[in-house]
Each structure stands twice: as C-alpha cells, then as structure tokens.
Amino acid sequence: MGKLFFVPVGGLANRMRAMASACTLAKKVGEAVSVVWFKDRALNAPFDALFQPVDCDGLSVREAAFYDYWTFDRPRKKNLFIPRFFQRILFDDCLYEKQITQLCKQNFDFGRWARQGEVYLASYSDFQKYDYALLRKLFVPRQDMDREIVSFTRRFSPHTVGIHIRRTDNAASIRQSPTRLFVEAVDAEIEKNPDTVIFLATDSEAVKNEIRSRYGDRVLTAKEKAGRNSIAGVKGGIVDMFTLSKTNKIYGSFQSSFSELASQIGNVPLEILQK
C-alpha cells in the first residue's frame, strides 16, 4: 500500500474542500493519507486550535514543524524552491496547487496517479467529488466556537436567512456581488416572511453597519471582525461558516468558496448573488 502526503493550501474554505478531496481520493485507492497543516499568510492558525482531532480511518493531521517548511512545504520563491529537492528524493511523484485546476479540466485520473506509490499533493481545489457528510466528520469546531454557534442559533426564527458578503480581499466579489443585491434579496424575504431573521457573515465593518442600520434587531452578526492573520480571526470565520450552515437559505458572494462550504456543511440552499 502506498501513501498520499497532502498539504492543504489557501484560506479556510479552500483547505477544507481540498482535505475532503484528498481523503476521498485516499479511500478510493485504498491508501493512507498524511496531512501536514502549515500556518502562513493565507491562514495563520494551527489546525488543533480550530477543530477537534480528526476521527477518520486512514487519515492523520499534524501541525508543520520547523523542518517541514524546508522539506514538505510547497516549493516557491519564498523558500528558494528548496523543498523540491527533498520531495524529488522522498516521493515517486508530486503535484502542486497550480497544476490541479488544469488537470481537472483534462479529466486527469488522480486515482491512477496516486496508486504509483508514495506521492505528494498540494491543493486548494476540490479535485475529487466528496460526500458533504465528510466535511462534518473532518471538521468539528472546538467547544469555544461551538458555544458561540449555539448562541446564535438560539436566536434564529423559523425563517432565518444567511448572507455572506465578502469584501476586503476579493475584487471580483466586490464588483459582481454589490451590497444592494443582498438588500434586495433580504427585502423580498421579509415581504414573504415578516418574522425573517438575518445572520450576516462579512469581513467588512462598513457592511455590518449598513445592514444593521437598515434591519436593526433582525440582524445577527459577530461583534469581532473575522480575519486570516490571527487565531481569533480564523475562529470568527469558523463561527460564521457553521452558523450560516444552520440557516434556512444562504445568499452568497461571487467566487467565494466560503459561501459554498457553508451550504455544503448544512445541506442548505445557496444562491450566489451577482450582476
């Protein structure tokens, strides 16, 4: 039996869907999968500060140690491409994140590739179709975050809609999913259901203030700003995602995997608002 060595890349949602893909691939080919979780600019928080230990046969997750950054991290200018030297020695083959999207378009057989022995894969993409129940098994928020999620859901009405308005780091979302589209959608929901409650997830304080000023006490949203550069910020993002997953419907932002993952976790209808 071979082994799949996997490095999830990117922000929270990208890493989650990529890990679910890796786990699915490993089960398909009967291999174990070893995940190494790196802290970086895209997500500066360790796995074990965010989620409960993973309970999944054949899968292990560990935090990157100092030496991992020079041996198992993705080869790039930042690390002078030094890890590529070790990876060529340690693995039968390697695939990196920039290759994955194109390979998916070409219907690449990842199963056949993985069966060749010890292989290395880094990805932020969902390169394998996975069961959404797997997300709920792999990613169980730690108790402090779960308490916040429960606190929000206790204030839900029978008709609670979630809106995810992404702003600060995504120009496409800002351009294609302006705030007015969310306002129009919420107004329509309130007209149909006067008891509508709104759960708002956003990385913009200006958006929070705008939505609060329009809808008042209907709006539930985090007091703190979610972010990628601190453990507290990433935890806030997890609370937002899992609370969104418990709403009746999600209105999401263009090109945002965060909206998609929230929908998948809760099997909640998702409508992407775009021009």
Side-chain angles (χ1 to χ4, degrees):
M1 178 185 293
K3 188 170 185 178
L4 172 63
F5 189 97
F6 183 69
V7 175
V9 180
L12 177 65
N14 285 338
R15 292 190 185 204
M16 290 171 68
R17 67 181 183 179
M19 271 183 63
S21 293
C23 188
T24 300
L25 174 62
K27 287 183 177 180
K28 181 187 295 185
V29 299
E31 295 184 355
V33 56
S34 176
V35 177
V36 176
W37 184 275
F38 287 87
K39 294 191 299 181
D40 56 26
R41 185 174 60 181
L43 200 154
N44 190 22
F47 183 90
D48 61 8
L50 308 176
F51 299 106
Q52 302 280 358
V54 173
D55 180 17
C56 188
D57 291 342
L59 182 142
S60 62
V61 181
R62 68 173 176 86
E63 307 295 338
F66 174 78
Y67 66 85
D68 289 315
Y69 284 86
W70 297 104
T71 53
F72 295 127
D73 198 3
R74 302 116 60 211
R76 46 200 167 134
K77 187 176 181 180
K78 178 181 178 181
N79 54 33
L80 305 177
F81 299 94
I82 291 173
R84 190 186 301 276
F85 170 77
F86 294 102
Q87 290 161 17
R88 285 177 174 173
I89 297 171
L90 295 170
F91 300 103
D92 295 297
D93 202 4
C94 301
L95 290 177
Y96 302 107
E97 66 274 20
K98 292 182 179 179
Q99 302 171 269
I100 305 301
T101 300
Q102 191 59 39
L103 289 174
C104 288
K105 291 179 180 178
Q106 298 169 359
N107 295 317
F108 181 75
D109 189 343
F110 287 94
R112 182 178 180 182
W113 171 82
R115 289 187 182 95
Q116 64 185 301
E118 303 281 328
V119 293
Y120 175 105
L121 176 63
S123 180
Y124 49 73
S125 304
D126 46 347
F127 55 91
Q128 295 282 287
K129 289 185 178 180
Y130 53 82
D131 190 324
Y132 296 163
L134 181 60
L135 290 172
R136 296 188 289 274
K137 185 173 183 179
L138 292 176
F139 304 102
V140 180
R142 296 191 70 88
Q143 291 183 354
D144 57 336
M145 287 170 280
D146 189 58
R147 285 192 291 268
E148 290 189 58
I149 296 164
V150 170
S151 177
F152 277 123
T153 57
R154 283 176 177 165
R155 297 153 66 190
F156 281 8
S157 75
H159 187 74
T160 301
V161 295
I163 57 176
H164 172 229
I165 306 178
R166 185 170 177 180
R167 286 293 172 262
T168 56
D169 64 340
N170 192 316
S173 287
I174 296 170
R175 183 174 60 255
Q176 293 294 332
S177 299
T179 305
R180 65 173 176 80
L181 295 183
F182 293 91
V183 169
E184 291 169 3
V186 171
D187 285 348
E189 292 285 350
I190 293 173
E191 186 174 349
K192 289 185 294 183
N193 298 279
D195 66 339
T196 295
V197 167
I198 306 151
F199 179 75
L200 168 65
T202 184
D203 54 1
S204 167
E205 294 303 301
V207 167
K208 282 185 184 179
N209 292 333
E210 180 178 352
I211 299 298
R212 279 172 171 159
S213 66
R214 184 177 181 90
Y215 299 109
D217 292 340
R218 290 182 187 272
V219 181
L220 305 176
T221 190
K223 294 180 181 179
E224 297 79 15
K225 183 178 180 180
R228 302 181 177 192
N229 296 321
S230 69
I231 294 176
V234 178
K235 283 185 172 183
I238 291 172
V239 170
D240 278 353
M241 180 185 288
F242 280 78
T243 305
L244 279 173
S245 77
K246 297 180 183 298
T247 60
N248 298 111
K249 180 178 181 178
I250 300 171
Y251 290 102
S253 294
F254 178 71
Q255 287 190 352
S256 173
S257 55
F258 190 98
S259 302
E260 295 173 1
L261 265 290
S263 171
Q264 292 175 10
I265 290 167
N267 285 324
V268 179
L270 170 66
E271 182 177 343
I272 300 297
L273 299 183
Q274 65 182 102
K275 293 179 181 177

